[in-house]
Amino acid sequence: MKVLVLNAGSSSLKFTLFNMENGENAVLASGQAERLGLDNPKVTYKRPDGYKSEEIPAITNHAEALQVICKKLVEGEGAVLKSLSEVSAIGHRVLHGGEEITKPVLIDENAKAIIRKCFPLGPLHNPANLTGIEACEKAFPGTPNVGVFDTEFHQTMPREAYLYAIPMEFYKKHSIRKYGFHGTSHNFVAHATAEYLGQDYNKTNLITCHLGNGCSMAAVKDGKCIDTTMGLTPLEGLVMGTRSGDLDPAVVINMMHLGMTADEIDKTLNKKSGLLGVAGIGSGDMRDVEKAASEGNEDCKLALNMFVRRVAKYIGSYYVLCGRTDAIVFTGGVGEHSSVMRKRIIDAVAALGIKLDDAANVDCFGKKGIISAADSPVKVVVMPTNEELMIALETVKIVSK
């Protein structure tokens, strides 16, 4: 079975084509169309054997981008299919399913209606996700489409975890609650870590740390998410590349008193805050901030200290919630590649007795591995995430029923 996985963003369309035959789960081709609707849109296409092509086609939307991708899959030097009919199913990353979609679903009119209903909860992503689905319905008539939702994994949280302490009418009438995101990533690394440790997933307790430009954590108890750091939107929780994370709601009120509009506040907290806002070097990329800090930039040092402190605070909180923690898991661009940041975070939770094997930590770059010392009461694991594969696996389950 060949499965096409799509992730439609507001101005981009990422794709991966998998061959799922006999558990092979092999990538046949991948790439993305970017800058859709903007000047100089670009389509990148590559194969695992090293073949790569880039072009700037005359496209303006997701449907046109999909046509270019489909053509590349079946025509020319980089082709990996004889016909689009070889694609048995299409899996879509969808941001928000609200409370109505709690597991991967076969896309039908009802599912599309729920995705539309969640537009206000995911205004940047859900409309684009639906556009990608509808483009596939036209390009691959009769081929099943499956939605895998970012919010699914966190739907096992208890009410005391996902409700905010505000009047209940806001939840009952307007669905204002914590939903959590990065669910596909947390789901993948939680299962992969339990398998790696040789444990029964349903009896495994983990603290998963997805650290990249966007950052979130999840407390996983007996294989179920019982809390996560992101909330109604991806803004809550950790200090991120450009997002503020947790703050006193009165900060927003004060911004309003300063004359800022709702859109200006939203842009400031989502696009101008986090490492970018504190470091003041024009970049929220962890690598740039770490480099400037190593050269003596005090604001960059402060930004890194704030980042570490927030992660450590949530590790302590989730350690208590889980009751017993088998492993702390690092994933995402920063989590998988920054041995310096992993060490700083684990050093910050030294009160829990957790210890690193420094050599193993430095050696573990972009690959899975145990980086804790042999006598550490809790293992520390690096587990590269693979959201596309998780979507493909869930898609196969749905269409195989």
Side-chain angles (χ1 to χ4, degrees):
M1 177 184 292
K2 294 181 176 64
V3 176
L4 179 64
V5 172
L6 291 182
N7 181 354
S10 57
S11 61
S12 65
L13 181 65
K14 298 179 182 179
F15 77 94
T16 306
L17 178 66
F18 289 93
N19 182 4
M20 307 295 286
E21 295 292 338
N22 303 315
E24 184 177 347
N25 303 342
V27 174
L28 299 177
S30 63
Q32 67 176 329
E34 52 190 322
R35 296 184 59 79
L36 299 178
L38 304 172
D39 293 335
N40 300 316
K42 182 172 72 172
V43 175
T44 303
Y45 179 94
K46 57 185 179 181
R47 298 186 314 211
D49 62 4
Y51 174 86
K52 183 177 180 180
S53 70
E54 291 185 358
E55 65 176 278
I56 301 177
I59 55 176
T60 59
N61 55 47
H62 293 80
E64 292 173 355
L66 182 63
Q67 290 297 329
V68 172
I69 292 167
C70 289
K71 187 175 181 179
K72 287 183 171 296
L73 290 172
V74 298
E75 295 181 12
E77 183 183 354
V80 292
L81 300 175
K82 293 181 180 179
S83 166
L84 292 179
S85 63
E86 291 182 53
V87 176
S88 300
I90 305 167
H92 298 264
R93 176 189 178 236
V94 185
L95 180 80
H96 224 303
E99 292 186 309
E100 295 178 78
I101 297 180
T102 60
K103 57 185 178 180
V105 296
L106 190 67
I107 297 295
D108 56 15
E109 291 306 314
N110 180 59
K112 289 194 287 186
I114 294 171
I115 294 171
R116 288 190 192 94
K117 182 179 176 181
C118 292
F119 278 8
L121 296 173
L124 294 179
H125 296 84
N126 268 44
N129 300 152
L130 183 58
T131 297
I133 290 169
E134 292 177 335
C136 285
E137 289 176 333
K138 294 179 180 178
F140 296 85
T143 301
N145 289 271
V146 173
V148 179
F149 293 72
D150 258 18
T151 48
E152 291 170 16
F153 184 65
H154 308 300
Q155 292 300 307
T156 52
M157 289 188 292
R159 283 167 63 86
E160 61 267 26
Y162 69 71
L163 289 177
Y164 294 113
I166 57 177
M168 285 295 288
E169 63 184 286
F170 288 99
Y171 167 63
K172 294 178 178 178
K173 294 182 179 180
H174 306 290
S175 302
I176 294 177
R177 51 157 285 184
K178 173 181 284 194
Y179 289 96
F181 301 91
H182 288 154
T184 307
S185 176
H186 288 290
N187 192 7
F188 179 86
V189 299
H191 278 86
T193 300
E195 181 180 359
Y196 181 58
L197 297 178
Q199 297 184 193
D200 180 347
Y201 176 73
N202 294 316
K203 296 179 181 177
T204 300
N205 292 3
L206 303 169
I207 299 171
T208 53
C209 308
H210 179 113
L211 307 180
N213 184 54
C215 301
S216 66
M217 292 169 57
V220 181
K221 185 173 184 178
D222 295 329
K224 293 183 173 61
C225 176
I226 60 170
D227 208 346
T228 190
T229 54
M230 286 180 168
L232 174 70
T233 74
L235 183 59
E236 187 179 354
L238 304 179
V239 174
M240 307 179 218
T242 64
R243 296 185 186 124
S244 66
D246 293 341
L247 48 73
D248 182 343
V251 172
V252 176
I253 297 171
N254 275 271
M255 287 178 161
M256 294 172 64
H257 289 326
L258 292 172
M260 296 178 69
T261 65
D263 286 344
E264 289 171 337
I265 294 170
D266 180 75
K267 185 175 182 180
T268 297
L269 297 180
N270 277 289
K271 301 289 183 66
K272 298 182 178 181
S273 298
L275 297 178
L276 174 68
V278 178
I281 59 171
S283 173
D285 189 299
M286 179 67 76
R287 293 164 294 188
D288 296 333
V289 178
E290 286 183 331
K291 182 176 184 296
S294 70
E295 295 169 350
N297 186 304
E298 294 299 325
D299 286 340
C300 288
K301 291 179 184 179
L302 174 61
L304 296 177
N305 290 343
M306 292 170 68
F307 181 92
V308 170
R309 183 183 179 91
R310 190 73 59 83
V311 176
K313 185 167 73 169
Y314 271 107
I315 288 176
S317 169
Y318 288 174
Y319 185 90
V320 172
L321 288 178
C322 286
R324 182 204 81 248
T325 301
D326 296 302
I328 295 169
V329 187
F330 287 104
T331 194
V334 174
E336 294 170 27
H337 299 98
S338 179
S339 60
V340 172
M341 191 51 60
R342 293 193 300 252
K343 178 172 173 53
R344 289 195 59 182
I345 290 168
I346 296 303
D347 284 351
V349 295
L352 302 177
I354 304 169
K355 294 182 284 187
L356 284 187
D357 179 325
D358 289 333
N361 180 41
V362 172
D363 179 64
C364 202
F365 183 86
K367 61 182 181 180
K368 65 183 175 183
I370 297 173
I371 61 172
S372 47
D375 60 345
S376 178
V378 175
K379 289 183 173 64
V380 182
V381 176
V382 177
M383 181 58 65
T385 190
N386 193 332
E387 295 174 84
E388 291 77 16
L389 177 57
M390 191 72 201
I391 293 170
L393 290 170
E394 295 287 6
T395 297
V396 171
K397 288 181 185 177
I398 292 294
V399 300
S400 299
K401 288 182 178 179

